[in-house]
Structures are given as C-alpha cells and as structure tokens.
Amino acid sequence: EEIVTVEPAPLKRLYKYLGLKRDGRRGCKIGRFVYESSIEKPEVHEPIRLYFAAVEEFIRSNVMAAQEQGVLSKALDAKVITHLLLSSVQGGYIFARANGTPGSIDESLAASKKLLDSLVLDNAV
C-alpha cells in the first residue's frame, strides 16, 4: 500500500517491491504458515489466502499496467510474470532459511530485477 501511495509508475512500483529490505533468515512471516499444519484450519487459512491474493493482485495489476503503457514487453503473459516474481520472493526466503545463507533472498530478488530489465522495452522511459 505504501508503494502505491509514493510511486505512480507501475514498473517502478514493481522494482520498489523487489527492492524492499527483507531479512532472509527470518523468512516470510505469512508464508511460513503455509507449511504449518495449522493451514488446514479455516480461521488460519483464509487470512493467509487473502494476503497472498493481495500481493499477487498488486504485482499482476502493475505488470499489466506497465504492459499497457508500452514500457514492459508482452512477450510473457502478466500472470506468468506475476508468478515468477512472487515465487522468486518466496523461494528466496526458503533458500535463505534452508541453507542458512541470508543473501539467498538478495540473489533471488536480483534475478527478478534482471527478468524485469529484460522485458523493459527500448523506448521506455
């Protein structure tokens, strides 16, 4: 929500999201619950689902807007880009925690930024 209020450009919003400071050792507080047995409890499952739906919608809507503005290629569908970016963030947390290497999240985010870089059209500002 903060990104949307301070950054009007959809593509820059995506870069800001990927640039958020994250502690790989701590992992995603919400994502961790997905692997817990408590996920089977509806009172826990619904808030988790809503969180990930909101993040997915944030990414997807900004990817689509950037594509519509002609600054981001349509070579990949917005849904594909969204899943790649969200998976990269969550996967970075998993690798960081599993390997005890906090920098894994940074490497994953850097790869996501390179993906976006490769999709930015030459005529984009």
Side-chain angles (χ1 to χ4, degrees):
E1 292 175 356
E2 183 180 324
I3 292 171
V4 172
T5 61
V6 298
E7 181 53 63
L11 183 59
K12 289 182 180 179
R13 286 178 182 167
L14 294 169
Y15 280 107
K16 278 194 178 290
Y17 169 72
L18 293 172
L20 291 173
K21 185 70 178 150
R22 293 173 169 89
D23 184 348
R25 293 169 297 181
R26 295 186 64 191
C28 176
K29 294 175 187 175
I30 305 297
R32 258 186 279 162
F33 285 115
V34 173
Y35 299 105
E36 300 289 332
S37 59
S38 60
I39 190 68
E40 298 301 321
K41 297 179 182 178
E43 65 272 16
V44 176
H45 177 74
E46 187 61 12
I48 294 168
R49 188 193 66 72
L50 290 172
Y51 168 78
F52 278 105
V55 173
E56 187 174 358
E57 175 56 23
F58 167 80
I59 296 170
R60 187 189 63 75
S61 65
N62 283 289
V63 168
M64 288 178 63
Q67 288 176 325
E68 289 167 8
Q69 290 176 354
V71 296
L72 197 64
S73 170
K74 293 182 180 181
L76 291 177
D77 184 73
K79 185 175 181 179
V80 171
I81 297 169
T82 299
H83 286 178
L84 285 170
L85 296 180
L86 188 52
S87 296
S88 177
V89 171
Q90 291 302 312
Y93 279 127
I94 290 170
F95 282 123
R97 287 178 58 90
N99 297 326
T101 53
S104 293
I105 185 78
D106 299 324
E107 292 169 5
S108 187
L109 295 170
S112 289
K113 290 175 188 174
K114 285 185 180 188
L115 169 68
L116 282 181
D117 290 346
S118 73
L119 295 170
V120 172
L121 297 172
D122 290 334
N123 62 343
V125 177

